[in-house]
Amino acid sequence: MYAALNESGLLVDALKAKKEDSYYCCYCKQKVKLITTQSRIYFRHKNKCNNEINERLIHRKGKKILMNELSKLNLQSLKSEVYLSKIKQRPDILVNGNFAVEYQCAQINVDILTKRVNGYRTVGIKNIWILGGHYLKAKLGREHLKFITYNKIWRFYLLTLDSRQGVMKLFYNIEFIGPFNKLIYQVKVFPRTKFYKLFIFRPEMTQKSRIYSNKHWLKKIRKKNDLVSQKFKLDFYNAHRITVEEYLKKGRFEAEYPIFANPAWQRHCGQISRRLRQPLLKK
């Protein structure tokens, strides 16, 4: 979870939490632990059981919010937990019999996500995934990329719903920038009383970003000592008689679609682009 209550009952973001302080779950009031890794900082229940109970509560509340808000629209039908026997799936919400809304709070790997998305497609059901629970973070990260989808208005985007706060966030115009595929994006927040505005939101896109190589990045590339990077740099030198760092010294990095698995610095040096697995994007 991305936030928890401190001893005074105030909500504290995990990024601002102190290791020596005590924190408690907003839902079950059980004590939680601050976890710090190289990739992220978050709170976790002390045992799996509490964590699963918490996720179910978050999911149930979020689904109720979505049902209530969707019921305000002029829809032909709106059903919850309908079992689709042909594909053996049960969407959280089924709109007009042909549009599934999934509220995903627990971690899910890309294989399961792909299977479920493809299941809907085989029976002609469009589907959208709204993220909550585990995926509520202050910033988008690599774990969010498998949920990215696209339309002409918002370009690459995804939605999150904080069921406790009753806040929907639209992350749109998502792109990669720089040699290491840094995520950049715009955000629009919709409080529960304004959810309907999501359907009419037409943003002004920021101007395409462009950045140039600098000493910091070149030093970082030089220090990439994993076997894959080392082999790539050696093969590049043998083929061109110039180091990767020298070649990229005057490199220019334009904003790119957030679909690439390999870093831009390697692609700029001729490596074939490899795509991430993103089931919601039609190739």
Side-chain angles (χ1 to χ4, degrees):
M1 66 185 75
Y2 76 103
L5 301 174
N6 63 13
E7 294 280 7
S8 302
L10 299 175
L11 191 67
V12 178
D13 191 301
L15 297 174
K16 298 179 181 179
K18 297 178 180 178
K19 200 81 173 178
E20 62 273 15
D21 291 347
S22 296
Y23 298 95
Y24 303 86
C25 174
C26 307
Y27 302 94
C28 66
K29 303 301 185 287
Q30 295 293 319
K31 198 167 185 179
V32 294
K33 184 178 181 181
L34 182 65
I35 305 297
T36 303
T37 70
Q38 287 186 339
S39 59
R40 62 193 183 99
I41 301 173
Y42 62 100
F43 292 106
R44 187 182 69 192
H45 282 84
K46 289 193 173 183
N47 61 65
K48 187 178 180 181
C49 180
N50 281 342
N51 200 32
E52 289 176 346
I53 291 171
N54 186 52
E55 285 175 348
R56 286 198 295 270
L57 290 171
I58 293 170
H59 183 268
R60 192 181 304 128
K61 188 172 183 178
K63 191 169 66 172
K64 184 178 180 180
I65 290 173
L66 291 171
M67 284 289 290
N68 287 341
E69 296 305 313
L70 288 170
S71 68
K72 297 175 184 178
L73 305 176
N74 186 24
L75 303 172
Q76 293 177 2
S77 67
L78 184 65
K79 298 179 180 179
S80 176
E81 300 288 344
V82 177
Y83 183 66
L84 306 175
S85 57
K86 285 186 178 180
I87 57 175
K88 298 179 180 179
Q89 291 178 215
R90 196 184 297 273
D92 288 327
I93 300 171
L94 188 63
V95 180
N96 296 340
N98 62 4
F99 193 97
V101 179
E102 292 282 7
Y103 183 47
Q104 188 65 39
C105 296
Q107 285 181 288
I108 182 174
N109 67 44
V110 72
D111 291 326
I112 296 174
L113 177 62
T114 300
K115 183 178 180 181
R116 290 171 66 181
V117 169
N118 288 342
Y120 288 131
R121 285 177 179 159
T122 60
V123 291
I125 293 178
K126 295 181 180 179
N127 55 111
I128 186 169
W129 294 66
I130 300 172
L131 305 181
H134 167 81
Y135 292 102
L136 291 179
K137 306 290 170 64
K139 297 179 180 180
L140 293 187
R142 301 297 164 182
E143 63 183 330
H144 296 99
L145 293 177
K146 58 179 171 282
F147 295 101
I148 282 179
T149 188
Y150 178 88
N151 68 34
K152 291 181 180 179
I153 299 170
W154 301 334
R155 299 178 185 164
F156 291 92
Y157 75 95
L158 61 79
L159 289 163
T160 67
L161 170 62
D162 184 334
S163 60
R164 188 186 63 80
Q165 300 283 356
V167 171
M168 182 88 76
K169 284 186 180 181
L170 168 66
F171 295 84
Y172 65 98
N173 198 23
I174 303 172
E175 296 177 310
F176 279 155
I177 191 69
F180 297 101
N181 298 356
K182 180 182 178 181
L183 275 167
I184 57 173
Y185 45 83
Q186 294 170 258
V187 184
K188 179 68 175 179
V189 178
F190 298 89
R192 187 169 179 179
T193 55
K194 304 289 185 180
F195 274 11
Y196 69 93
K197 289 194 174 184
L198 173 70
F199 301 100
I200 57 174
F201 179 58
R202 301 293 184 271
E204 286 188 16
M205 298 297 184
T206 56
Q207 190 174 5
K208 276 280 186 181
S209 301
R210 174 190 297 170
I211 55 180
Y212 296 84
S213 291
N214 58 43
K215 291 181 179 180
H216 169 72
W217 282 339
L218 293 174
K219 184 178 180 179
K220 192 174 178 179
I221 292 171
R222 189 176 295 112
K223 288 185 175 181
K224 291 289 288 182
N225 293 321
D226 59 278
L227 293 177
V228 174
S229 297
Q230 287 287 59
K231 183 178 185 306
F232 178 81
K233 288 191 281 187
L234 179 60
D235 290 344
F236 184 86
Y237 181 81
N238 289 335
H240 303 283
R241 292 302 167 185
I242 184 175
T243 65
V244 163
E245 294 82 6
E246 188 67 26
Y247 178 78
L248 291 173
K249 187 175 290 186
K250 296 182 180 180
R252 182 178 71 184
F253 294 89
E254 307 278 355
E256 302 179 289
Y257 296 148
I259 61 174
F260 299 110
N262 47 343
W265 71 267
Q266 292 183 5
R267 287 183 276 112
H268 276 229
C269 292
Q271 188 179 70
I272 296 173
S273 297
R274 290 185 287 106
R275 290 193 62 157
L276 293 164
R277 291 178 63 191
Q278 294 167 313
L280 293 163
L281 293 178
K282 291 185 178 179
K283 303 296 190 287

